[in-house]
Coordinates of all heavy atoms in Angstrom, one line a residue:
K124 N 82.5 124.8 75.1 CA 81.9 124.0 76.2 C 81.4 125.0 77.1 O 81.7 126.1 77.3 CB 83.0 123.1 76.9 CG 83.6 122.1 76.0 CD 84.7 121.3 76.8 CE 84.5 119.9 76.6 NZ 84.8 119.1 77.7
R125 N 80.4 124.5 77.9 CA 79.7 125.4 78.9 C 79.6 124.7 80.2 O 79.5 123.5 80.3 CB 78.3 125.7 78.4 CG 78.2 126.4 77.1 CD 77.4 127.7 77.1 NE 77.6 128.4 75.9 CZ 78.1 129.7 75.8 NH1 78.5 130.3 76.9 NH2 78.2 130.3 74.7
S126 N 79.7 125.5 81.2 CA 79.5 125.0 82.6 C 78.0 124.6 82.8 O 77.2 125.0 82.0 CB 80.1 126.0 83.6 OG 79.1 127.1 83.7
F127 N 77.8 124.1 84.0 CA 76.4 123.8 84.4 C 75.5 125.0 84.4 O 74.3 124.9 84.0 CB 76.4 123.1 85.8 CG 75.0 122.8 86.3 CD1 74.4 121.6 85.8 CD2 74.4 123.6 87.2 CE1 73.2 121.3 86.2 CE2 73.2 123.2 87.7 CZ 72.5 122.0 87.2
F128 N 76.1 126.1 84.7 CA 75.3 127.4 84.7 C 75.3 128.2 83.4 O 75.0 129.3 83.4 CB 75.8 128.3 85.9 CG 75.6 127.6 87.3 CD1 76.7 127.1 88.0 CD2 74.4 127.5 87.8 CE1 76.5 126.5 89.2 CE2 74.1 126.9 89.0 CZ 75.2 126.4 89.7
G129 N 75.9 127.6 82.4 CA 75.9 128.2 81.1 C 77.1 129.1 80.7 O 77.2 129.6 79.7
Q130 N 78.1 129.3 81.7 CA 79.2 130.0 81.5 C 80.2 129.3 80.5 O 80.4 128.1 80.7 CB 80.0 130.4 82.7 CG 81.2 131.3 82.6 CD 81.8 131.7 83.8 OE1 81.8 130.9 84.8 NE2 82.5 132.8 83.8
R131 N 80.6 130.0 79.5 CA 81.6 129.4 78.5 C 82.9 129.0 79.2 O 83.5 129.7 79.9 CB 81.9 130.4 77.4 CG 82.6 129.7 76.3 CD 82.9 130.8 75.2 NE 83.4 130.1 73.9 CZ 84.7 129.9 73.8 NH1 85.6 130.0 74.8 NH2 85.1 129.2 72.7
K132 N 83.3 127.7 78.9 CA 84.6 127.3 79.5 C 85.7 127.7 78.5 O 85.5 127.9 77.3 CB 84.6 125.7 79.5 CG 83.6 125.2 80.7 CD 83.8 123.8 80.8 CE 82.9 123.3 82.0 NZ 83.2 121.9 82.4
D133 N 86.9 127.8 79.0 CA 88.1 128.3 78.2 C 89.3 127.4 78.6 O 89.1 126.4 79.3 CB 88.3 129.8 78.5 CG 88.9 130.5 77.4 OD1 89.9 130.1 76.8 OD2 88.4 131.5 77.0
Y134 N 90.4 127.9 78.1 CA 91.6 127.0 78.3 C 91.9 126.9 79.8 O 92.5 125.9 80.2 CB 92.8 127.6 77.6 CG 93.3 129.0 78.0 CD1 94.3 129.0 79.0 CD2 92.8 130.1 77.5 CE1 94.8 130.2 79.4 CE2 93.3 131.4 77.9 CZ 94.3 131.4 78.9 OH 94.8 132.7 79.2
W135 N 91.5 127.8 80.7 CA 91.6 127.6 82.1 C 91.0 126.4 82.6 O 91.6 125.5 83.4 CB 91.0 128.8 82.8 CG 90.7 128.6 84.3 CD1 89.5 128.5 84.9 CD2 91.7 128.6 85.3 NE1 89.6 128.3 86.2 CE2 91.0 128.3 86.5 CE3 93.1 128.6 85.4 CZ2 91.6 128.1 87.8 CZ3 93.7 128.5 86.7 CH2 92.9 128.3 87.8
D136 N 89.8 126.1 82.1 CA 89.1 124.8 82.5 C 89.9 123.6 82.0 O 89.9 122.6 82.6 CB 87.7 124.9 82.0 CG 87.0 126.1 82.5 OD1 86.6 126.1 83.7 OD2 86.8 127.1 81.7
F137 N 90.4 123.7 80.8 CA 91.3 122.6 80.2 C 92.4 122.4 81.0 O 92.7 121.2 81.4 CB 91.6 122.9 78.8 CG 92.8 122.1 78.2 CD1 92.6 120.8 77.9 CD2 94.0 122.6 78.1 CE1 93.6 120.0 77.5 CE2 95.1 121.9 77.6 CZ 94.9 120.6 77.3
L138 N 93.2 123.4 81.5 CA 94.3 123.3 82.3 C 93.9 122.7 83.7 O 94.6 121.8 84.2 CB 95.0 124.6 82.5 CG 95.6 125.2 81.2 CD1 96.1 126.6 81.5 CD2 96.8 124.4 80.7
C139 N 92.9 123.1 84.3 CA 92.5 122.6 85.6 C 92.2 121.1 85.5 O 92.6 120.4 86.4 CB 91.2 123.4 86.1 SG 91.5 125.0 86.6
Q140 N 91.3 120.8 84.5 CA 91.1 119.3 84.3 C 92.3 118.5 84.1 O 92.5 117.5 84.7 CB 90.1 119.1 83.2 CG 89.7 117.7 83.0 CD 88.8 117.5 81.8 OE1 87.8 118.2 81.7 NE2 89.1 116.6 81.0
G141 N 93.2 118.9 83.2 CA 94.4 118.3 82.9 C 95.3 118.1 84.1 O 95.9 117.0 84.2
L142 N 95.5 119.1 84.8 CA 96.4 119.0 85.9 C 95.7 118.2 87.1 O 96.5 117.5 87.8 CB 96.7 120.4 86.5 CG 97.7 121.2 85.6 CD1 97.7 122.7 85.9 CD2 99.0 120.5 85.5
A143 N 94.5 118.3 87.2 CA 93.8 117.5 88.2 C 93.9 115.9 88.0 O 94.0 115.1 88.9 CB 92.3 117.9 88.3
Q144 N 93.9 115.6 86.7 CA 94.1 114.2 86.3 C 95.5 113.7 86.7 O 95.7 112.5 86.9 CB 93.9 114.0 84.9 CG 92.4 114.2 84.5 CD 92.2 114.1 83.0 OE1 93.1 114.2 82.2 NE2 91.0 113.9 82.6
R145 N 96.5 114.5 86.8 CA 97.9 114.1 86.9 C 98.5 114.4 88.3 O 99.5 113.7 88.7 CB 98.8 114.9 85.9 CG 98.4 114.7 84.5 CD 98.7 113.3 84.1 NE 98.2 113.1 82.8 CZ 98.0 111.8 82.3 NH1 98.3 110.8 83.0 NH2 97.5 111.7 81.1
R146 N 97.9 115.2 89.1 CA 98.4 115.6 90.4 C 97.3 115.8 91.5 O 96.2 115.9 91.1 CB 99.2 117.0 90.3 CG 100.4 117.0 89.5 CD 101.0 118.3 89.6 NE 102.3 118.4 89.1 CZ 103.1 119.5 89.1 NH1 102.7 120.6 89.6 NH2 104.4 119.4 88.5
Q147 N 97.8 115.8 92.7 CA 96.8 116.1 93.7 C 96.3 117.5 93.6 O 95.1 117.7 93.4 CB 97.5 115.9 95.0 CG 97.8 114.5 95.4 CD 96.7 113.7 95.8 OE1 95.6 114.1 96.0 NE2 96.9 112.4 96.0
E148 N 97.3 118.4 93.6 CA 96.8 119.9 93.4 C 98.0 120.6 92.9 O 99.2 120.4 93.3 CB 96.3 120.4 94.8 CG 95.7 121.7 94.6 CD 95.1 122.2 95.9 OE1 95.1 121.5 96.9 OE2 94.4 123.2 95.9
H149 N 97.8 121.6 92.0 CA 98.8 122.4 91.4 C 98.8 123.7 92.2 O 97.8 124.3 92.4 CB 98.6 122.6 89.9 CG 99.7 123.3 89.2 ND1 99.9 124.6 89.3 CD2 100.6 122.8 88.5 CE1 101.0 124.9 88.5 NE2 101.4 123.8 88.0
E150 N 100.0 124.2 92.7 CA 100.1 125.4 93.4 C 99.5 126.6 92.6 O 98.9 127.5 93.2 CB 101.5 125.7 93.8 CG 102.0 124.9 94.9 CD 101.3 125.1 96.2 OE1 101.1 126.2 96.6 OE2 101.0 124.1 96.9
G151 N 99.8 126.6 91.3 CA 99.2 127.7 90.5 C 97.8 127.8 90.4 O 97.1 128.8 90.5
I152 N 97.1 126.6 90.4 CA 95.7 126.5 90.4 C 95.1 127.0 91.7 O 94.2 127.9 91.8 CB 95.2 125.0 90.1 CG1 95.6 124.6 88.7 CG2 93.7 125.0 90.2 CD1 95.1 125.1 87.5
R153 N 95.7 126.6 92.7 CA 95.3 127.0 94.1 C 95.5 128.5 94.3 O 94.6 129.2 94.8 CB 96.1 126.2 95.2 CG 95.6 126.6 96.6 CD 96.2 125.8 97.7 NE 97.6 125.3 97.5 CZ 98.0 124.1 97.9 NH1 97.1 123.3 98.5 NH2 99.2 123.7 97.6
F154 N 96.6 129.1 93.7 CA 96.9 130.5 93.9 C 95.8 131.2 93.1 O 95.3 132.2 93.6 CB 98.3 130.8 93.4 CG 98.5 132.2 93.3 CD1 98.8 133.0 94.5 CD2 98.5 132.9 92.0 CE1 99.1 134.4 94.4 CE2 98.8 134.3 92.0 CZ 99.0 135.1 93.2
V155 N 95.6 130.9 91.9 CA 94.7 131.6 91.0 C 93.3 131.6 91.6 O 92.5 132.6 91.6 CB 94.7 131.1 89.6 CG1 93.6 131.7 88.7 CG2 96.1 131.4 89.0
T156 N 92.8 130.4 92.0 CA 91.4 130.3 92.5 C 91.3 131.1 93.9 O 90.2 131.4 94.2 CB 91.0 128.8 92.8 OG1 92.0 128.2 93.6 CG2 90.9 128.1 91.4
S157 N 92.4 131.4 94.6 CA 92.3 132.2 95.8 C 92.2 133.7 95.5 O 91.8 134.5 96.4 CB 93.5 132.0 96.7 OG 94.7 132.6 96.1
L158 N 92.3 134.1 94.2 CA 92.2 135.5 93.9 C 90.8 135.9 93.6 O 90.2 135.6 92.6 CB 93.1 135.9 92.7 CG 94.6 135.6 92.8 CD1 95.3 135.7 91.5 CD2 95.2 136.5 93.9
D159 N 90.1 136.6 94.6 CA 88.7 136.9 94.4 C 88.4 137.9 93.3 O 87.3 137.9 92.8 CB 88.2 137.6 95.7 CG 88.2 136.6 96.9 OD1 88.2 135.4 96.6 OD2 88.4 137.0 98.1
K160 N 89.4 138.7 92.9 CA 89.2 139.7 91.8 C 88.9 139.0 90.5 O 88.4 139.6 89.5 CB 90.4 140.6 91.7 CG 90.5 141.6 92.9 CD 91.7 142.5 92.6 CE 91.8 143.4 93.8 NZ 93.0 144.3 93.6
L161 N 89.4 137.8 90.3 CA 89.3 137.1 89.0 C 88.0 136.4 88.9 O 87.6 135.6 89.6 CB 90.4 136.1 88.8 CG 91.8 136.7 88.8 CD1 92.9 135.6 88.8 CD2 92.0 137.7 87.7

């Protein structure tokens, strides 16, 4: 799968979508997205 800008999606995107469907927000997702180095 590809994002709107053409970047290949990976299991990270699957996990984000799956958790977003089940919860308001997952602490792990919030933590990882806050890391600018990634």
